[in-house]
Amino acid sequence: MSDVTATPAATPAPQPRTAKPGRRALARFTSNRLAVFGLIVLVLFLIFCFLGPLFYQTDQVHTNLSEASLRPGERGHLLGTDDVGYDVLGRLMIAGQTSIIIGLAAGVLATLIGSFWGAIAGYVGGWVDSVMMRIVDAGIAIPATFLLLIISTIARPSVPLMILVIGLVSWLVPARLVRAESISLKSREYVLAIRAMGGTHSRAITRHIIPNSVGTIIVNATFQVADAILLVAYISFLGMGVQKPATDWGAMLTSGISYTYGGAWWLILPAGFCIVLVVVAFNCIGDGLRDYFDVKGRLK
């Protein structure tokens, strides 16, 4: 008899590990070079505006006419001074704080108002939806800059007032976007189930409609912040922004535009450069977040 040797069972080949959905989404965001560029630019501007004044301290309250209109590099002023002696680099930091704070706060306020308005309109539907969206259509037909100019002539412009006003005129676009998402989501199984179990409409909206629209909401919020920063620059350029000694980048453009014919380029180029870079950064981040929350991309 010949010995029969048992052959060991073949070990199954190791299965390749699939990346988690969160890691795949993060990889899509980081693979977008413009999004990474925008994030880096935004972080650098936050450091420049909010930590810069701690290391580069200047007097942005009291005027000093003896050092007015100095060119960059003169008497230790890296970017020169303006017509009343304010250090331009230090003023650029303080102005950036105002512009970014107003932009972020107004963008968040507009997104919150628009999200709830659109979610309610799309979920309830019927005549409620028709009335609510006609209000949105009427608001979109009125230019936001026009409303801001009227309000600025009635009340003294301040940071809280500008946040409130810009937020109240900028919620219309997110309302339309979230309404479209809400109409699509209200027919999903989990929403129908909560309604069948006796759940309230407010619970369905706050627990299901808005959370499942978070991708659209966050992406739009970045664009709302960029638009708010531009609106602040528009209003301030027209002389209706925050009053001195407070300032923002748009106000710096207004103060320096009349001196550019004399060659004082440092009074407008730095502020204009900051506005363009920050707005582009937020738009790039928004594009990257769109890839991050893209449902179709998660299946790849």
Side-chain angles (χ1 to χ4, degrees):
M1 295 179 62
S2 60
D3 297 336
V4 178
T5 57
T7 59
T11 58
Q15 298 295 326
R17 294 184 177 180
T18 58
K20 295 181 178 180
R23 292 183 179 179
R24 292 200 302 268
L26 182 61
R28 288 197 304 275
F29 179 84
T30 54
S31 64
N32 189 327
R33 295 183 180 180
L34 286 177
V36 175
F37 166 78
L39 186 60
I40 293 173
V41 169
L42 179 60
V43 170
L44 290 177
F45 265 100
L46 291 175
I47 294 173
F48 171 75
C49 294
F50 292 93
L51 296 182
L54 300 177
F55 301 95
Y56 189 80
Q57 299 180 358
T58 58
D59 186 358
Q60 297 295 327
V61 177
H62 304 94
T63 61
N64 187 0
L65 297 179
S66 63
E67 294 193 350
S69 302
L70 295 179
R71 298 185 66 83
E74 291 187 20
R75 302 183 189 178
H77 299 283
L78 297 180
L79 285 180
T81 60
D82 61 8
D83 57 317
V84 293
Y86 290 134
D87 182 271
V88 172
L89 180 58
R91 201 151 186 80
L92 205 63
M93 298 175 185
I94 302 300
Q97 292 181 12
T98 304
S99 295
I100 292 175
I101 288 174
I102 294 177
L104 286 173
V108 171
L109 179 61
T111 302
L112 289 175
I113 297 174
S115 298
F116 280 99
W117 188 279
I120 294 171
Y123 178 80
V124 176
W127 67 268
V128 175
D129 178 35
S130 298
V131 172
M132 295 179 72
M133 296 316 296
R134 294 300 75 74
I135 294 174
V136 171
D137 293 339
I140 291 178
I142 303 174
T145 307
F146 175 72
L147 293 176
L148 288 171
L149 288 175
I150 292 176
I151 296 173
S152 297
T153 57
I154 297 173
R156 178 181 175 84
S158 63
V159 172
L161 179 62
M162 294 190 72
I163 291 173
L164 180 63
V165 172
I166 293 176
L168 291 178
V169 300
S170 303
W171 61 272
L172 305 168
V173 172
R176 294 177 68 107
L177 294 174
V178 176
R179 172 187 175 267
E181 289 284 331
S182 180
I183 292 174
S184 173
L185 292 171
K186 72 176 183 179
S187 60
R188 301 289 177 88
E189 291 80 3
Y190 48 84
V191 178
L192 296 176
I194 193 174
R195 293 173 63 182
M197 291 186 296
T200 61
H201 295 313
S202 61
R203 181 180 178 85
I205 292 172
T206 57
R207 296 293 183 89
H208 296 284
I209 300 297
I210 292 180
N212 284 282
S213 304
V214 67
T216 300
I217 293 172
I218 292 178
V219 171
N220 183 258
T222 59
F223 298 127
Q224 288 297 320
V225 173
D227 291 342
I229 292 175
L230 283 178
L231 276 175
V232 173
Y234 293 158
I235 299 303
S236 298
F237 184 76
L238 296 174
M240 299 294 181
V242 292
Q243 303 299 308
K244 292 184 177 181
T247 188
D248 58 74
W249 287 329
M252 291 185 67
L253 291 177
T254 304
S255 301
I257 194 70
S258 58
Y259 296 92
T260 55
Y261 297 104
W265 56 266
W266 61 91
L267 297 182
I268 61 167
L269 282 186
F273 184 72
C274 289
I275 293 172
V276 171
L277 265 185
V278 170
V279 171
V280 169
F282 273 108
N283 286 326
C284 291
I285 293 173
D287 289 335
L289 289 175
R290 184 185 291 116
D291 294 339
Y292 182 88
F293 289 107
D294 183 22
V295 177
K296 295 179 181 179
R298 295 177 188 176
L299 302 176
K300 297 179 179 180

